[in-house]
Amino acid sequence: MVHRPVPFDELDRKIVAALIANARTSFAEIGADIGLSATAVKRRVDRLRESGIITGFTATVRPAALGWRTEAYVEVYCEGAAPPRRLAEVVRNHPEITAAMTVTGGADALLHVRATDVEHFEEVLERIRTEPFIRKTISYMVLSHLLPDSPEAGAARPAAEGAADLR
Amino acid sequence: MVHRPVPFDELDRKIVAALIANARTSFAEIGADIGLSATAVKRRVDRLRESGIITGFTATVRPAALGWRTEAYVEVYCEGAAPPRRLAEVVRNHPEITAAMTVTGGADALLHVRATDVEHFEEVLERIRTEPFIRKTISYMVLSHLLPDSPEAGAARPAAEGAADLR
DNA sequence: AATGAAAATGGTCGAAC
DNA sequence: GTTCGACCATTTTCATT
């Protein structure tokens, strides 16, 4: 997964900024803003995607509007050495885990978990704690967002869409 | 900021799913998949945006490809009572803070911070700790992602784009 | 209320330079 | 990098149910 460095200039920077601000902006409009033809913008976007700088285009949603009203960070402590490969498998078993990473400090991993409500969150936590080599967890429930427009506040991964049914 | 409940059916769910998977999918293509005309899909997307269910469309990028190679979660402890309003102001002073929330547990807030490297991260941390009523911070550096496709792994807020210059 | 069909405008994308 | 042309998508208007 090593990406070779790829030329990236001021025009690319502006294109990426425009697409982060609105992924549906037309290449023609971006081109007009930065002084390039639509075709040139398209070729640069194609290159930015192929080189792995742009990884995709997604809609951002308010999870609460789809029934995901509860959110927490969970520190995970494992028995003995916890190989990240094995941890990643565990994480993929639980669609409510929307982000997971290994971190410095006492915990082996930090999980971001979304649930429909506190009861659902408790159920998820019990499911995670039943996994073979998880020793303990410490949860921090999110109370309110201080940057309401951050990606973490609004994004939902596709695996979590089922909750739309539950509202 | 209270959103009235709005009708949301199975077709809306599929439209949202399609746009989360690819924000640039055409209305005609979504319509063909779910049995609706492009016009009907457009009208539903317009309504989903107006009702605040869809908050926007964004490009996802690999921050590392743009020079943001360091990432951490930072617990913040304040002097005395920390009104979230005041905390939010502090957070907005530091563009490297990409997400921030109040949480249960000992800390008053949890921050997600992106920096170009460890030196930059140290500088950000010192800047945050100089803020009037911050008492202490505890940092957890992110080592590796266990769900590489999660929004937290790939998204960057526009305020952080400057780093593209630094690579 | 929500849909589809039609028409005008505007965008995409390959080919050629 | 650009222009051109064919095709496709978006958006408004209007008629239908």
Side-chain angles (χ1 to χ4, degrees):
Chain A
M1 269 264 290
V2 176
H3 292 257
R4 259 197 267 94
V6 144
F8 186 88
D9 64 14
E10 183 65 10
L11 292 172
D12 290 318
R13 224 210 73 239
K14 287 178 176 168
I15 291 169
V16 170
L19 290 172
I20 288 175
N22 177 8
R24 290 183 73 98
T25 313
S26 73
F27 300 147
E29 188 181 334
I30 296 171
D33 285 356
I34 66 174
L36 232 46
S37 68
T39 307
V41 173
K42 179 198 187 293
R43 278 198 294 245
R44 280 172 180 256
V45 172
D46 288 347
R47 206 198 62 220
L48 289 164
R49 298 200 63 176
E50 273 168 30
S51 67
I53 292 177
I54 292 176
T55 56
F57 302 103
T58 189
T60 52
V61 301
R62 283 190 319 117
L66 296 177
W68 300 90
R69 300 198 160 75
T70 301
E71 187 184 2
Y73 284 88
V74 179
E75 287 184 352
V76 170
Y77 295 78
C78 298
E79 314 269 16
R85 283 278 304 270
R86 185 78 190 73
L87 258 172
E89 264 176 62
V90 169
V91 160
R92 282 192 296 268
N93 288 160
H94 305 274
E96 294 90 350
I97 300 175
T98 57
M101 57 222 101
T102 57
V103 288
T104 63
D108 292 293
L110 183 64
L111 313 179
H112 180 244
V113 173
R114 277 196 200 279
T116 55
D117 52 30
V118 176
E119 288 73 30
H120 180 199
F121 178 68
E122 183 171 29
E123 184 256 295
V124 173
L125 207 53
E126 280 172 15
R127 238 195 288 129
I128 293 170
R129 300 184 69 149
T130 314
E131 290 279 356
F133 67 117
I134 305 285
R135 203 180 81 229
K136 76 167 183 176
T137 63
I138 301 180
S139 300
Y140 304 90
M141 309 278 305
V142 174
L143 298 173
S144 72
H145 285 269
L146 300 170
L147 279 178
D149 52 339
S150 68
E152 275 99 317
R157 63 193 267 248
E161 275 151 38
D165 301 332
L166 306 180
R167 58 184 302 280
Chain B
M1 269 267 288
V2 177
H3 292 257
R4 257 196 269 94
V6 144
F8 186 88
D9 64 15
E10 183 64 10
L11 292 172
D12 290 318
R13 223 210 74 240
K14 287 177 176 167
I15 290 169
V16 170
L19 289 171
I20 287 176
N22 178 6
R24 290 183 74 98
T25 313
S26 75
F27 300 146
E29 188 181 337
I30 296 171
D33 286 356
I34 66 175
L36 232 46
S37 70
T39 309
V41 173
K42 179 201 187 288
R43 278 191 293 240
R44 280 171 180 258
V45 171
D46 288 346
R47 206 199 61 219
L48 289 164
R49 299 201 62 178
E50 273 168 30
S51 67
I53 292 176
I54 292 176
T55 55
F57 303 103
T58 189
T60 53
V61 301
R62 283 190 318 115
L66 296 177
W68 300 89
R69 299 197 159 77
T70 301
E71 187 185 1
Y73 283 88
V74 179
E75 288 184 352
V76 170
Y77 295 78
C78 297
E79 314 268 17
R85 284 277 305 272
R86 184 79 190 74
L87 258 171
E89 263 175 63
V90 169
V91 160
R92 282 191 296 266
N93 287 160
H94 305 275
E96 293 90 350
I97 301 175
T98 58
M101 58 222 98
T102 57
V103 288
T104 63
D108 292 292
L110 183 64
L111 313 179
H112 180 243
V113 173
R114 278 196 199 278
T116 54
D117 52 31
V118 175
E119 289 71 32
H120 180 199
F121 178 69
E122 183 171 29
E123 185 255 295
V124 174
L125 207 54
E126 279 171 18
R127 238 194 289 128
I128 292 170
R129 300 184 69 148
T130 315
E131 290 279 357
F133 66 118
I134 305 285
R135 204 179 79 228
K136 75 166 183 177
T137 62
I138 302 180
S139 300
Y140 305 90
M141 309 277 307
V142 173
L143 297 175
S144 71
H145 285 270
L146 301 170
L147 280 178
D149 52 339
S150 67
E152 275 99 319
R157 64 192 268 245
E161 275 150 35
D165 301 332
L166 305 180
R167 58 184 304 279

